[in-house]
Amino acid sequence: VWAARRSRSSLINSLEELYRASWLADERELQVAEAQHEHQVAIHHGRGRRGRFSGCMAGTFRLEDVVGRGAMGEVYKGAHLATGQKVAVKIFHGGGGSIQKAPERFLREGEIARGVVATNVVRVLDVGQMTDGVPYIAMEYLEGEDLAGRLRKSGTLEMEAVVDLVHQVALGLEAVHDAGIVHRDLKPQNIFRSETPRGHIWKILDFGVSKMEAAGMTLTENQVVGTPAYMSPEQARGDDLDARSDIFTLSAVVYRCLTGRSPFAAREVPEVLYKIVYHYPPPPRHFAPTINLDVERVLALGLSKNPVHRFQTIGQLARALGDARKGRLSEGMRVRAEALMKLSGWH
């Protein structure tokens, strides 16, 4: 009996180690793939390089060097011809779905973003077409770096910094949701830390796959869209979405910030989507033991597969995370979270 127990214990330990090794291998491969993609973008559409439209006019803005590239367009640094105001101008390059409707979607992104006025959402200054008919979106020019770049350098963020980030992003998302919009592509690359004379401001970028809830309109014709590693389960299934999808996605970003790992790492996109729909990620404290139990409870609620069991507003998530950092999560939330943690295997 003693030998059998020892053998069983050794087998369990071996399987756990194998699982951890497999999960870490998946995570490393995902990180390498992301780095390679960004490297290729830098090579072919490098920042600080002259682009096809450098020197051209987009409305009242003269375009300068390329500073980035999104799913549907290159981003140029520019300046207002009369005032010299610095801007970032996204120029449509022809990607993003069916050729006939892609320009329409691109301009719709600009109109959606222009309709949301909030400190923590990038401000759109102008939407229009260049003289040759190429669509453009002119936005405020931001100094700083996106969350993805920050995480590549530091691996993780301190708890206080994560609470600050979530608080600010939640303020932006509240304005987005109040306007009847689901962002659908919140990820580290679309969360930007803008450095200003008065301090840093976290801003939400890129409404290219957003959806207008009230009108049922989408920029992507109800396809499965977004960044796989940060999708919600309902998004991965191609179901209809509401603001609670963004709550799941921001919770996944928090998991990444605190643990240094994406919650749903896998070698292939279908496997990532399968994990999002059917599997729970490893418990956060497995990778970051200093996380207190209340914070893990908040993530259990935010990452619930069923939207009904999540926080129902983005503000609730931000407030709960702030309370959890101090170990002051409400008893009702603790009870709800404990039930989900048992289901997820986080105990």
Side-chain angles (χ1 to χ4, degrees):
V1 171
W2 175 83
R5 286 178 176 172
R6 285 289 300 272
S7 177
R8 180 176 181 274
S9 177
S10 297
L11 177 61
I12 290 173
N13 289 336
S14 297
L15 289 173
E16 288 177 346
E17 288 297 325
L18 179 62
Y19 171 76
R20 281 193 289 268
S22 175
W23 194 90
L24 287 173
D26 286 348
E27 174 64 16
R28 293 291 182 267
E29 188 161 331
L30 180 63
Q31 290 174 347
V32 168
E34 290 177 347
Q36 288 174 337
H37 173 72
E38 292 182 8
H39 179 63
Q40 290 301 317
V41 169
I43 291 174
H44 296 293
H45 305 276
R47 296 179 178 180
R49 296 185 180 182
R50 304 290 287 178
R52 172 187 169 192
F53 296 102
S54 295
C56 298
M57 295 295 297
T60 56
F61 305 102
R62 182 177 296 279
L63 305 181
E64 300 172 4
D65 292 341
V66 175
V67 295
R69 190 173 192 269
M72 298 177 71
E74 290 181 326
V75 182
Y76 287 77
K77 182 178 180 180
H80 191 279
L81 196 59
T83 66
Q85 176 190 7
K86 289 195 295 186
V87 294
V89 183
K90 183 186 286 189
I91 305 296
F92 175 74
H93 64 52
S98 65
I99 300 300
Q100 294 81 4
K101 293 188 178 181
E104 176 187 337
R105 292 177 189 151
F106 180 86
L107 290 172
R108 184 60 187 160
E109 173 193 345
E111 293 298 341
I112 288 174
R114 186 157 63 172
V116 179
V117 180
T119 300
N120 300 103
V121 177
V122 65
R123 184 160 52 98
V124 171
L125 306 173
D126 188 28
V127 179
Q129 293 179 310
M130 300 172 67
T131 54
D132 58 358
V134 175
Y136 71 87
I137 301 170
M139 303 165 284
E140 62 177 319
Y141 186 81
L142 304 176
E143 299 279 359
E145 66 178 340
D146 61 27
L147 177 60
R150 196 171 185 85
L151 289 173
R152 279 195 301 274
K153 296 174 184 176
S154 62
T156 61
L157 297 183
E158 295 293 331
M159 188 68 223
E160 185 175 351
V162 175
V163 170
D164 172 59
L165 180 152
V166 172
H167 171 72
Q168 294 199 43
V169 171
L171 290 175
L173 280 177
E174 280 182 341
V176 171
H177 295 164
D178 287 346
I181 301 167
V182 183
H183 189 283
R184 301 205 301 175
D185 198 23
L186 203 65
K187 57 184 177 181
Q189 290 86 345
N190 284 341
I191 300 174
F192 194 93
R193 181 184 165 108
S194 174
E195 302 295 344
T196 74
R198 293 174 293 178
H200 71 269
I201 301 174
W202 288 103
K203 288 182 176 277
I204 301 168
L205 311 178
D206 203 344
F207 286 76
V209 296
S210 300
K211 178 179 178 179
M212 301 290 291
E213 287 187 281
M217 293 190 301
T218 175
L219 298 178
T220 48
E221 299 174 326
N222 293 322
Q223 299 172 22
V224 177
V225 295
T227 301
Y230 296 96
M231 283 184 178
S232 66
E234 56 270 33
Q235 190 174 5
R237 292 191 299 264
D239 295 344
D240 198 19
L241 307 178
D242 59 27
R244 293 172 296 183
S245 177
D246 288 341
I247 293 171
F248 182 98
T249 300
L250 184 56
S251 299
V253 171
V254 171
Y255 185 106
R256 167 68 180 87
C257 290
L258 292 176
T259 67
R261 294 166 171 84
S262 168
F264 304 103
R267 290 180 174 85
E268 303 290 341
V269 170
E271 189 179 355
V272 173
L273 299 179
Y274 182 86
K275 283 187 174 183
I276 289 171
V277 174
Y278 297 107
H279 289 182
Y280 285 91
R285 293 198 299 167
H286 180 83
F287 303 111
T290 58
I291 295 175
N292 73 45
L293 185 55
D294 270 354
V295 171
E296 192 162 87
R297 288 169 175 143
V298 167
L299 286 175
L301 291 168
L303 292 172
S304 170
K305 303 297 183 186
N306 188 336
V308 173
H309 298 150
R310 290 178 210 152
F311 300 100
Q312 297 301 290
T313 68
I314 200 69
Q316 289 177 357
L317 169 61
R319 289 188 293 272
L321 188 63
D323 291 341
R325 180 172 69 93
K326 303 172 184 177
R328 298 176 183 173
L329 194 65
S330 72
E331 193 57 35
M333 284 190 182
R334 285 175 176 167
V335 171
R336 287 173 52 204
E338 288 293 323
L340 288 172
M341 289 169 74
K342 288 180 181 178
L343 181 65
S344 67
W346 284 12
H347 275 294

